[in-house]
Amino acid sequence: MMLLNKIRYYTFFLAVSIAFTATITAQKINSNNFKQLGGSPDEINQMRLPNPETLGNRSRVAMLPIKGSQTFKVPVDNSENFKLTLISPKSGEIDILVGSNDDELINVRENSRGIKIEKSDVGFEGSTFPAEVFSFESIKTGVLNVKIETSETFTNSAKPIGYLVVSNDSPYRLYSYVDTLQTVVGTEFGLVTSLFDGNTNNDIDQPTTLRDSISDASATITLPNGNVETAKMNSVGDGNYRLGFSPRFSGKHTAQITVRGTNPDGNLFIRTSEHLIDVSQNRGVIGSKTRVTLIDDVRFQISLPVSGLRNGQKVIAHAEVWGLNADGHDEATTWIGGMSFVDRNRVTLNLDSRWLANSNVKGNYELRNFRLQDADSSVIVAESKTISLPTIYATDSAKNSLGQITDEMRFGKRPANLDSTNAVGGKLMLVHGYCSGDSWTQTAQFSNFVKFLDLNKNRSHDQFANLIKNFGASLPSFGIVAHSQGGAASLHLYTYYWSGLDNATGSRLIQSVGTPYQGTALAGNLAVLGQIFGAGCGANNDLTYSGAATWLSGIPTWARSKVYYHTTSFTDVWWRYDYCSLATDLFLGDPEDGVVERAYAQLPGANNMGHKTGWCHTTAMRDPGQTTDSSRNSTMNSNAAR
């Protein structure tokens, strides 16, 4: 029996060892496809993490959860363009009655005089939810009684069965944000909110807070397991309210902030804002026993100890390299970064010492602002302000480089299996977006192309990029024309991985239309709505304002310069109310294409090919879908790299 147990033990140990070795081997093979990134000191500010206070949502609506038969006291702070929008999978079993008091309620469907009723959808691509929009031709400021009547089945439901969205043309809007980019289990993050005047603030910069307007603020947080927690937000001065929350579970959380008060015009108001918050399981701690190895005549490998993270976890590493110049002053020499696996509680990145040779720094090298981001969520999982690098120096070969900046310095040595000399027969790859069907259905203007298809799926930028890379592995080279998230995924691929993109020849490597490079407000709304519909493709942190900005902070200038992007919006005429999607228009700032606001479709450092009106994000919207523009498609085809 003892012999049998020993055999079982050694068999188990051998199996575990083989599996572990196979995992590490697979990681090493995959890591050969990682680019080793670097750039000049003048890029450092661009590559630093954004201030989370500048990444807030701007909301001019209130999404009120419907939990059964109930009456809402709805403040009407502006009578212009007043709308009630019902979003629910059970809309056919929900009646809405409105009036100034309970004795004068009318059913908006049965007595539609002065009320325009329209069907619409909230969302984009395959994640859309049906909505009914009730537009009121005339209404007074004050408090409107809105009575919801549902069947007995839904009375006093524990979870929302839908949302009633209240909107108008008031300039007073809610600004809210999560106050850290390091959302990990056991570490508090804060939800912060305030009111601002949209007439005196632009759509990008952090707005000026209006004081003494908010009288009550609360936040409802839905945990990954479906449990709900609601708490009052506290005033922290200057018109700001905050709620501190320490997550106990990893995964996607949603938060809805609800604010009531009196605006500067003296009218009562209500606003809500919705957030998607990705929480990582572990927070890493960077150790002090750094290893530095010279791996060829110019490059060093830097191996950093990190505890608390999962072995095998894929992360994006980034750091600045500083030292002392001849005058004894601090000076930056380069930034470095790239993909890395956590392997035996260590992460590695490479430093090309030609960057050191090109600088005035003479020694006392150190890493500054080192960070690790989870590759799939962009959440910051480890940080360190300074890490000493005592054995780094400019090698003799580096000193002989004559000060030239090469592609090898920017993204490492080309793998031997990626032979550009044999890149014959390249193709143009058409790539769709998040949760999409085949968005490139009209292909008459394209030639020598292939279609990437991963239909109706929710992928992080990193997952999406690897699918594109694997699909193109059989092609000697390819350029990309992408729609929506496909543009960001293609840029991610070109930045972090070696692929057929690096063999392509032609004037425009990556071309995109309707890509939310800086996120979309709908990402938070869709995460909340998905919880009641139980449909759609799911939440995606890379598409939120905060997630997109964190991701974008790792994209260097040389990669951005290879992108040629287009933006569109609806046709706007003076004699009618215009939009791409009546329901999503409530959540977006003009101009927008029904999914992406023009302001957040910008990619600084890339090639802006202009804005065109009369085209919406998808074909199901009011104006034609932007991928069906034959003129633009023809131009993109003729300029595409292959």
Side-chain angles (χ1 to χ4, degrees):
M1 180 65 68
M2 289 182 62
L3 177 61
L4 181 59
N5 286 339
K6 284 184 178 181
I7 292 172
R8 288 173 176 167
Y9 171 79
Y10 285 118
T11 301
F12 172 78
F13 178 78
L14 179 61
V16 171
S17 298
I18 291 172
F20 178 78
T21 301
T23 300
I24 297 300
T25 300
Q27 289 181 359
K28 288 181 178 178
I29 292 172
N30 289 333
S31 65
N32 289 336
N33 289 320
F34 293 164
K35 290 181 176 178
Q36 304 296 330
L37 309 184
S40 60
D42 57 12
E43 285 186 292
I44 282 179
N45 285 335
Q46 172 188 299
M47 305 297 290
R48 285 178 175 165
L49 290 172
N51 180 351
E53 294 182 10
T54 66
L55 307 177
N57 291 350
R58 293 166 167 79
S59 175
R60 59 188 176 94
V61 306
M63 281 181 60
L64 307 179
I66 299 172
K67 296 186 177 181
S69 297
Q70 62 194 113
T71 299
F72 295 108
K73 300 288 185 180
V74 175
V76 182
D77 61 315
N78 188 294
S79 60
E80 296 297 320
N81 201 22
F82 182 82
K83 292 180 173 61
L84 294 176
T85 301
L86 175 63
I87 307 173
S88 175
K90 307 292 183 182
S91 60
E93 303 174 55
I94 298 175
D95 285 326
I96 302 176
L97 296 87
V98 300
S100 57
N101 58 62
D102 290 339
D103 296 330
E104 300 176 353
L105 297 180
I106 61 169
N107 190 311
V108 295
R109 289 198 186 93
E110 295 176 358
N111 188 349
S112 59
R113 183 179 178 182
I115 302 173
K116 185 178 181 180
I117 305 174
E118 297 173 88
K119 300 286 187 180
S120 187
D121 292 298
V122 174
F124 57 100
E125 305 291 357
S127 275
T128 58
F129 308 118
E132 280 183 284
V133 183
F134 304 90
S135 301
F136 291 72
E137 293 179 2
S138 62
I139 197 166
K140 296 180 180 180
T141 57
V143 177
L144 181 69
N145 286 346
V146 180
K147 186 175 183 180
I148 302 296
E149 292 185 347
T150 67
S151 65
E152 291 297 322
T153 306
F154 306 116
T155 301
N156 299 319
S157 173
K159 295 181 180 180
I161 60 171
Y163 283 88
L164 180 71
V165 182
V166 182
S167 63
N168 57 40
D169 279 349
S170 170
Y172 302 111
R173 302 182 181 188
L174 196 63
Y175 186 77
S176 60
Y177 60 90
V178 180
D179 65 4
T180 180
L181 301 175
Q182 194 172 55
T183 50
V184 295
V185 171
T187 300
E188 181 184 284
F189 64 78
L191 293 165
V192 183
T193 194
S194 60
L195 193 73
F196 74 98
D197 186 345
N199 286 339
T200 58
N201 292 267
N202 62 33
D203 292 333
I204 291 292
D205 296 331
Q206 185 178 1
T208 302
T209 297
L210 293 172
R211 301 183 182 185
D212 305 320
S213 293
I214 297 175
S215 59
D216 179 76
S218 63
T220 298
I221 299 175
T222 302
L223 310 182
N225 61 8
N227 291 341
V228 177
E229 299 180 9
T230 299
K232 183 178 177 64
M233 302 179 74
N234 299 311
S235 173
V236 291
D238 295 328
N240 292 289
Y241 283 72
R242 183 182 187 274
L243 171 67
F245 182 79
S246 296
R248 304 182 301 278
F249 307 99
S250 63
K252 292 177 173 59
H253 296 59
T254 61
Q256 184 180 52
I257 295 171
T258 303
V259 167
R260 294 177 179 268
T262 304
N263 68 28
D265 298 333
N267 295 321
L268 296 175
F269 74 88
I270 182 172
R271 300 286 187 274
T272 67
S273 179
E274 290 70 39
H275 291 266
L276 168 63
I277 306 159
D278 218 329
V279 175
S280 183
Q281 176 63 50
N282 299 311
R283 180 175 184 170
V285 177
I286 308 300
S288 59
K289 295 182 179 180
T290 302
R291 300 173 190 162
V292 178
T293 306
L294 184 65
I295 56 176
D296 59 27
D297 60 340
V298 293
R299 293 184 302 158
F300 290 91
Q301 184 179 82
I302 302 170
S303 175
L304 300 164
V306 56
S307 59
L309 300 184
R310 184 183 75 255
N311 276 311
Q313 182 174 353
K314 187 162 61 169
V315 293
I316 301 173
H318 183 88
E320 302 162 14
V321 182
W322 288 71
L324 295 180
N325 61 25
D327 296 329
H329 298 139
D330 288 350
E331 185 175 319
T333 65
T334 183
W335 63 265
I336 57 176
M339 289 285 174
S340 181
F341 286 110
V342 179
D343 186 359
R344 297 182 179 90
N345 297 315
R346 302 189 79 87
V347 294
T348 60
L349 28 73
N350 285 2
L351 167 63
D352 192 313
S353 68
R354 284 174 286 189
W355 292 111
L356 310 184
N358 288 350
S359 74
N360 296 318
V361 175
K362 303 304 179 184
N364 296 90
Y365 293 105
E366 63 182 14
L367 298 182
R368 292 188 185 179
N369 298 320
F370 176 80
R371 69 178 186 255
L372 295 178
Q373 297 169 228
D374 180 77
D376 277 328
S377 67
S378 294
V379 171
I380 308 302
V381 293
E383 291 182 293
S384 181
K385 290 296 183 184
T386 58
I387 301 170
S388 178
L389 295 174
T391 56
I392 292 292
Y393 57 91
T395 67
D396 290 340
S397 294
K399 292 176 182 177
N400 293 329
S401 63
L402 301 176
Q404 296 180 351
I405 296 177
T406 66
D407 285 346
E408 193 172 282
M409 293 167 63
R410 293 187 179 99
F411 38 82
K413 288 192 173 183
R414 178 184 291 268
N417 62 347
L418 199 69
D419 186 1
S420 62
T421 61
N422 293 324
V424 178
K427 299 284 186 179
L428 173 61
M429 187 185 298
L430 305 182
V431 179
H432 57 71
Y434 160 84
C435 194
S436 177
D438 183 2
S439 58
W440 297 104
T441 55
Q442 297 187 27
T443 59
Q445 295 81 34
F446 295 109
S447 60
N448 191 27
F449 70 92
V450 294
K451 280 188 186 182
F452 168 85
L453 296 176
D454 180 47
L455 304 182
N456 304 310
K457 297 295 194 304
N458 176 15
R459 311 291 190 189
S460 70
H461 287 351
D462 190 64
Q463 293 166 349
F464 204 150
N466 275 280
L467 290 172
I468 296 172
K469 177 171 68 70
N470 294 339
F471 176 74
S474 62
L475 302 174
S477 66
F478 58 88
I480 288 177
V481 166
H483 180 236
S484 197
Q485 190 197 0
S490 301
L491 175 56
H492 185 96
L493 170 61
Y494 181 64
T495 300
Y496 292 109
Y497 299 94
W498 291 101
S499 74
L501 272 174
D502 295 285
N503 283 343
T505 57
S507 61
R508 299 179 186 177
L509 185 65
I510 299 171
Q511 300 177 82
S512 68
V513 57
T515 294
Y517 288 108
Q518 298 184 55
T520 171
L522 297 184
N525 303 118
L526 288 180
V528 170
L529 293 174
Q531 293 165 349
I532 64 167
F533 278 82
C537 292
N540 190 313
N541 191 59
D542 284 340
L543 298 178
T544 66
Y545 292 146
S546 178
T550 308
W551 165 76
L552 197 56
S553 68
I555 306 299
T557 300
W558 55 258
R560 299 182 189 209
S561 68
K562 297 295 185 180
V563 175
Y564 297 76
Y565 68 95
H566 303 257
T567 59
T568 73
S569 63
F570 53 82
T571 298
D572 195 7
V573 293
W574 63 268
W575 65 85
R576 71 183 185 200
Y577 174 60
D578 289 294
Y579 51 83
C580 273
S581 168
L582 182 59
T584 62
D585 184 70
L586 306 176
F587 304 102
L588 301 172
D590 290 339
E592 38 85 5
D593 65 8
V595 172
V596 185
E597 296 150 306
R598 180 180 178 180
Y600 291 92
Q602 304 305 306
L603 179 60
N607 303 279
N608 186 342
M609 304 310 295
H611 185 80
K612 195 171 182 179
T613 61
W615 301 89
C616 293
H617 199 78
T618 66
T619 55
M621 296 181 176
R622 187 169 184 171
D623 290 338
Q626 55 198 196
T627 61
T628 65
D629 184 343
S630 59
S631 175
R632 180 170 47 241
N633 289 350
S634 179
T635 299
M636 290 193 294
N637 178 69
S638 61
N639 288 282
R642 286 175 172 82

